[in-house]
């Protein structure tokens, strides 16, 4: 599966990073230059934000999308952003490279069916309380519509434990890799909600066989309008990117890098 | 809150019953006459069915809605049916009396916002893993849009227990009654998935302070196209309707019945 | 199943009430006179307290047991108290009328086997995350040892929901009543942790078919050394005892009362 | 923390392996020679088995312990086995090198207090539904008694997901490493219940910062009297032991190996 030059699901491991929410041009440009310099491959940022409360910041909407696209272009990175409803699909399909379905919408079947008609890859987050079978069947709604470019994303499930935001289910990653050909991505930011745990959980995800990461990075987490408590600082993100290669190498993977097509061998 | 002649949230307890899915005119007419004869107030039936698998029966769609409306009309019962996406709203608003939001869509905020503009009552089912605060905040999306006719519906939550389909959380009903003015309905069919438990759980719901029930009744459960294993037979439903009044009386409630407006006193 | 004069599992519904922990003679005598006057049948009170932290109050131990027994005797009430380990069994068997096994010890099989040799009834609380099958199999450890006087007690399970202390699973009560001949008791105090919910949940438990209640009542909840936040005041307990009979009557039950043996008809 | 020559919690990573249950001398000797040859450091095997049903195989008891000790001695491996009750402590303290507390007994405080007086290390498994705070506080019961040699063991928690036996919570491992000085061990066998997932989850545990593994290996899993479905074959275990070093090296760790004391540097 290719997104621009980037290949998902091959031996190369893909890192998608950026702010939880697009807040403005300066913030996104800053975040983009930080994650690009550290080696991230795809720029993430939300412009339509599903928020538990109707009174919380709901995202910048379309103007934010242009800001995100501009930042991605400047740094040569494809972009990923969340689509919340069918009416947003034409805009998202035109402006983004990967359309993300959030955990709350994993069983929004009308949206999934509509995404089956889209010609861009879709990243499908696992629902907070979705079983593994329900997750694969939700992907099937998109695949059945004709869009074969589906990535699964484990982002933590809801359990009795309250010390952390959610419980990261890495066995789900290994389980899914053994049962499907779809790339499986891990989002350690939402899964733990704790910046101090994102490094060890990212290394563990790589060792477990994940195909990539989706990570929140904010130039100034303490000023973020959304989920700042779980965003990595630029320094922490750089540390993560320095430490990933050794673990990937131990499982015969590597950070994705451009290669001539002939060299792309699906080694696993 | 009134739906046709029926009042929700007052001293009268409302029973909504009918098949899980509308399968055809004969089935719905049969179910309608059974539940009407037993004393149900509202006819339920799904025409747009959110199913875990894309290959399962997805509902009759619009033709089913006309079948349901016709049956309701014949028996003098308002009807309730599930809306799955914004595009269905105009049709549903015209043809049904109560629009139901399913558990999977409890945090489909785009749908909730659109329902805030509708002039018909909305029954909002609690999500499978929704906290009580998230449930009330989801209702707030509809209320904030200007539609004050929102009913909450507890239908069981997902826990570790697998003997029953879900875990009915009746404390959630009492909790919600103490914190909001919204009617709170209980769906013991989805909550237990076991016809033998629907009678005791319905009585318990009444004792806990619920304002009504949403129950699946099928003339021939073994032939149902959807969730037949949890549907009540007509006989079991009649037994339930005979046993409810005594429990309601014990908590100063009664099965809803038409009264002259002057007699409607909110006693609680 | 008889405990002194009190019969469990027949048409009579049994209320066991008293403080979470025995704190001293005055507190227990006060609590005993309150619950006896309101109509409770059995006096509860913990002297060996399993506490999450080793630095929390661990109970009065043996001296507390004598205080509890004295209070029970004065008011003509059998007593129930928790046994935490095998070494306590001889003392508990001699001094109490019902031995309680706490949720944390539901799968302490060595303790259960030892209780199979005891000639006093055992109340077995469901573990925080015990499936229904595991609960019945834990009871089987006691029954298999030769002690047939086992009561099951549902006291709430641990779920993702954090607004309340636990999630009361009343369907488990109805389920267990349909599958075993053992009396099933409900503990709404631990299940909700909220005094405002204990009344509705007690009425719901009665409607669901429970055989009795185990409730925390403290003369001065704000001064309690353990779980005071969930204890009923004497006033709230009296209200509960006044409201229970109507619901019990609606399901062909009644508060237990002494009868001549000829009148005891197992009506269900 | 030392167990015989083996050091836990330092840079060396410790592998404990062997059958779920001791079934006889031949089986244990076979298992011991297999895991020793593959490089395991400690031999595991249960002789007192806490089983959900009283009618399931309950372990060989004391004779099994001698069989296990003999096998450990022959292969130069310390042994670990589960203690279920206080009465077993003297025997276990004499015959084993590490006393294991099972998940069901994590809050058996009487047992924990008694283990605080023991002069051998204790491995404390996390309860099925224990929060992280409860886990640490359970360890505190042992530490408070004077036994500082406590290891924590994450073995999967109970969640709504039923595809796998439990949900392995690796973030709990990283969280515990950041908050305590206690070694943290991972049991991927009970956590997943699926031999095909034990390799990736073991590598992930190593990457997440765990100090060791506790793994079920059976010479003939299909003939095992207990949990054979989750035991590794000798071949799979050898593969695991071959693949661990590279991941450990990537996080500056290595499989534990005997060193002269001067070389043992706590590098982290």
């Amino acid at each position: 599966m290719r997104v621009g030059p980037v290949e998902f699901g091959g031996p190369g491991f893909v890192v998608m990073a950026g702010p939880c929410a697009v807040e403005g041009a300066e913030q996104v440009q800053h975040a983009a230059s930080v994650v690009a310099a550290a080696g991230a491959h795809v720029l993430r940022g939300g412009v339509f934000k599903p928020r538990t409360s109707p009174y919380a910041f709901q995202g910048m909407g379309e103007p934010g999308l242009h800001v995100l696209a501009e930042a991605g272009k400047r740094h040569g990175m494809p972009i990923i952003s969340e689509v919340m409803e069918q009416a947003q699909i034409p805009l998202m399909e035109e402006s983004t490279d990967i359309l993300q379905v959030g955990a709350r919408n994993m069983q929004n079947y009308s949206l999934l069916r509509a995404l089956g008609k889209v010609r861009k890859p879709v990243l499908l987050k696992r629902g907070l309380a979705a079983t593994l079978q329900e997750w694969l069947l939700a992907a099937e709604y998109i695949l059945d519509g004709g869009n074969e470019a589906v990535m699964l994303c484990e982002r933590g499930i809801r359990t009795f434990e309250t010390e952390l935001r959610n419980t990261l289910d890495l066995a789900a990653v290994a389980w899914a890799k053994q049962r499907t050909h779809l790339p499986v991505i891990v989002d350690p930011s939402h899964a733990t909600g704790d910046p101090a745990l994102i490094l060890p959980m990212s290394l563990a995800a790589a060792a477990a066989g994940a195909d990539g990461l989706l990570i929140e990075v904010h130039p100034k987490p303490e000023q973020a309008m959304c989920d700042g408590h779980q965003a990595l600082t630029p320094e922490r993100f750089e540390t993560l990117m320095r430490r990933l290669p050794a673990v990937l190498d131990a499982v015969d993977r590597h950070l994705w890098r451009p290669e001539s097509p002939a060299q792309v061998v699906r080694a696993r």
Side-chain angles (χ1 to χ4, degrees), chain A residues 207-250:
Chain A
D211 294 304
L213 296 170
L214 184 66
I215 297 189
E216 292 184 1
V217 178
H218 197 285
K220 298 176 183 171
E222 71 286 1
Q223 296 176 12
M225 295 175 74
C226 173
D227 283 350
H229 60 279
Q230 74 192 26
L232 288 188
T233 57
E235 293 70 31
R236 280 192 194 252
F237 182 65
E238 286 154 17
T239 301
L240 168 58
M241 294 302 286
R242 270 201 313 273
R243 299 214 35 204
L244 266 175
V247 174
L248 288 167
D249 189 56

Side-chain angles (χ1 to χ4, degrees), chain A residues 105 154-155:
Chain A
N105 275 322
E154 158 65 25
R155 43 77 75 215

Side-chain angles (χ1 to χ4, degrees), chain A residues 94-199:
Chain A
E94 187 190 320
S95 310
T96 71
D97 300 288
I98 308 173
L99 286 74
Q100 175 181 323
V101 177
R104 293 176 179 88
N105 275 322
M106 191 201 85
Q107 293 189 313
N108 179 340
Y109 299 128
S110 302
L111 179 62
L112 300 183
R113 283 208 184 280
L115 290 169
K117 302 302 175 197
V118 165
R119 293 285 73 86
K120 288 274 176 77
V122 174
L123 179 141
L124 177 66
K125 286 198 167 184
R126 182 180 179 190
L128 264 175
T131 65
L132 296 175
Q133 294 291 353
E134 289 170 344
W135 193 26
L136 296 195
L137 285 166
E140 201 72 15
Y141 268 90
I142 307 173
L143 297 164
D144 184 47
N147 185 350
E148 298 190 356
V150 177
M151 299 178 220
L152 300 171
C153 180
E154 158 65 25
R155 43 77 75 215
I157 57 173
R158 183 166 274 179
T159 69
F160 63 84
E161 175 56 62
T162 55
E163 194 70 35
L164 303 177
R165 182 166 180 176
N166 292 292
T167 298
L168 178 60
D169 184 4
L170 286 179
V173 173
W175 182 93
K177 288 298 293 176
Q178 292 176 2
R179 276 159 191 77
T180 82
H181 295 285
L182 307 177
V184 182
I185 307 297
V186 170
D187 172 352
S189 302
H190 283 86
T192 65
D194 180 350
L197 295 177
I198 291 174
L199 171 63

